[in-house]
Amino acid sequence: MATLPNMHDAEPIPEEARAEIDRLLQSGDLFRYTAPEDAPVTLLEREFAELLGSRYALAVSSCSAALFLSLKALDLPRDARVLIPGFTFAAVPSAVIHADCVPVLCEVGMNYRIDMADFEAKLDGVQAVLISHMRGHTSDMDAIMALCDARGLPVIEDAAHSLGTRWAGRNIGTIGRIGCFSFQSYKLVNAGEGGVLITDDPEIVARAVILSGAYEHTWKKHTQRGDNTGALEAAFARWQNKLPLYNLRMSNLSAAIIRPQLPHVARRVRDGLRNHDFVAARLAESPWIDVPAKLPPEQRAPDSLQFNLVGMDRTEMAAFADAAAAGGVKVQIFGLSTDNARAYWNWEFLPEMPDLPATRAMLECACDTRLPARLTLEDCALLADVLVQAAEDVMGPLRAYGT
Ligand SMILES: *Cc1c(COP(=O)(O)O)cnc(C)c1O
């Protein structure tokens, strides 16, 4: 019987990384601010900004650090209320708390996207909005931006899992005032750890650069080539010595691992989408599995698969997960697995624990499985068969229906 590859194995790091890492090990030049110019981290920032089409990028130690610095860069008052979706990873409310702000959670629907009525109802009284595109699922960014712009609310995009995703032709991460991405191993570009924030706003990037640990005049290594407006330099001068230094910088070694992966992003996005849509089409044959549709303006870049179990009780859902595991496919039901970091009720550190019945209902039937871009369509067919068969094993054969 054919078997599936280990879904947690990453793609090999491109060979070109080795020569650069060797050079760095030889010279010991690992700190981003040692070289007078063109350090690997600086080059990564330029290349990433160019890839996304934003003016500025700041590479840091993680996406969580990027989210924290984004909130700090906005200069929000202590205890500012920040609206986030109720479906995200625990790192997101954690970054809000780290920034001395209070997370306010809004409902997310069965399609993993923000419930716009609840979002609008909760906007009054918040001072910033952090849209976490959880698992790369994009909420209605047109409606979100219209509502936030009308109130003058800054929007941060948590695009940790959305590299390569587009909304109406625009790159996710460039729609809000700041976009944050992750290079943690389970994301599209893998450096083990790492993150980057992008923005077009010189004031915000200047603050974030200093906060990230650009002490003294090391910020001079961030001035953009071809930026003749002087806006960035003026912003740096304005914030000199005014901000704490949190030291969340990226090492040159991480940049050396990330840079050669950037030319592979387009292929990974293409293959990930092909795999996802192939599996989703097969799963549509099962009456017990629903893969929610994306919103029309979204072009996805998935590297994992989420679907809802339909018409199963908890025991049946657990049996489904067991049957899938026996077939070699690990499925996590967000709301049923113990201590899941994506189930909001497990964020017991929240200063205010909300009741989100719609989000809870979704989490209690929504399944999560990895679907790496490197899988072949044969692998994908096998994976889909395992899931369809697992549902059938639990709920009985399809032909029992309609007879
Ligand atoms: C992975 C992830 C994060 C955290 O990224 P780190 O780089 O590990 O800090 C935040 N938000 C989402 C949606 C993620 O998927």
Side-chain angles (χ1 to χ4, degrees), residues 325-346:
V329 181
K330 195 171 162 246
V331 172
Q332 224 179 27
I333 302 160
F334 289 108
L336 297 190
S337 70
T338 313
D339 298 330
N340 193 300
R342 300 140 199 102
Y344 69 87
W345 54 87
N346 288 327

Side-chain angles (χ1 to χ4, degrees), residues 80-119:
R81 298 174 71 78
V82 177
L83 192 57
I84 66 170
F87 175 44
T88 183
F89 185 57
V92 175
S94 303
V96 176
I97 289 173
H98 190 190
D100 298 317
C101 298
V102 178
V104 177
L105 276 56
C106 72
E107 289 270 34
V108 171
M110 291 304 284
N111 66 352
Y112 319 134
R113 285 152 179 94
I114 289 171
D115 176 323
M116 288 311 302
D118 195 54
F119 179 85

Side-chain angles (χ1 to χ4, degrees), residues 135 137 161 276 300-306 368-372:
R135 287 290 187 270
H137 297 288
H161 232 134
H276 179 277
R300 304 206 60 221
D303 61 3
S304 64
L305 171 74
Q306 289 72 44
D368 193 26
T369 186
R370 292 176 57 77
L371 191 63

Side-chain angles (χ1 to χ4, degrees), residues 158-372:
D158 167 18
H161 232 134
S162 293
L163 184 55
T165 306
R166 286 164 175 262
W167 176 265
R170 295 171 70 188
N171 285 319
I172 284 298
T174 64
I175 297 173
R177 197 172 304 171
I178 312 172
C180 300
F181 296 82
S182 174
F183 302 121
Q184 185 268 341
S185 286
Y186 297 163
K187 316 297 158 119
L188 203 73
V189 171
N190 163 28
E193 302 281 2
V196 63
L197 70 82
I198 56 172
T199 182
D200 287 339
D201 187 325
E203 195 74 9
I204 285 184
V205 80
R207 285 177 57 87
V209 162
I210 293 174
L211 290 160
S212 76
Y215 59 92
E216 294 165 356
H217 293 150
T218 43
W219 53 256
K220 288 192 171 152
K221 292 176 180 172
H222 287 267
T223 45
Q224 298 294 107
R225 287 217 173 116
D227 178 11
N228 301 321
T229 64
L232 183 60
E233 215 154 323
F236 279 129
R238 198 161 32 251
W239 292 106
Q240 180 80 56
N241 298 344
K242 302 281 196 300
L243 299 169
L245 307 171
Y246 293 108
N247 284 9
L248 298 165
R249 296 172 301 245
M250 178 181 277
S251 142
N252 279 341
L253 277 179
S254 300
I257 291 170
I258 294 163
R259 291 182 60 219
Q261 292 182 59
L262 297 185
H264 294 269
V265 167
R267 171 187 54 81
R268 291 178 186 175
V269 167
R270 203 167 51 237
D271 291 354
L273 185 59
R274 175 203 65 185
N275 288 352
H276 179 277
D277 290 355
F278 178 88
V279 173
R282 290 228 172 174
L283 295 184
E285 294 163 13
S286 172
W288 299 290
I289 298 177
D290 178 48
V291 182
K294 68 178 185 66
L295 300 180
E298 182 188 0
Q299 193 186 338
R300 304 206 60 221
D303 61 3
S304 64
L305 171 74
Q306 289 72 44
F307 57 89
N308 297 328
L309 294 175
V310 182
M312 292 190 194
D313 63 24
R314 275 172 183 249
T315 315
E316 288 160 343
M317 286 195 249
F320 166 82
D322 288 344
V329 181
K330 195 171 162 246
V331 172
Q332 224 179 27
I333 302 160
F334 289 108
L336 297 190
S337 70
T338 313
D339 298 330
N340 193 300
R342 300 140 199 102
Y344 69 87
W345 54 87
N346 288 327
W347 308 337
E348 293 177 19
F349 52 83
L350 288 179
E352 301 167 11
M353 179 58 75
D355 183 26
L356 303 172
T359 308
R360 182 183 282 272
M362 177 274 286
L363 289 166
E364 287 182 346
C365 71
C367 297
D368 193 26
T369 186
R370 292 176 57 77
L371 191 63

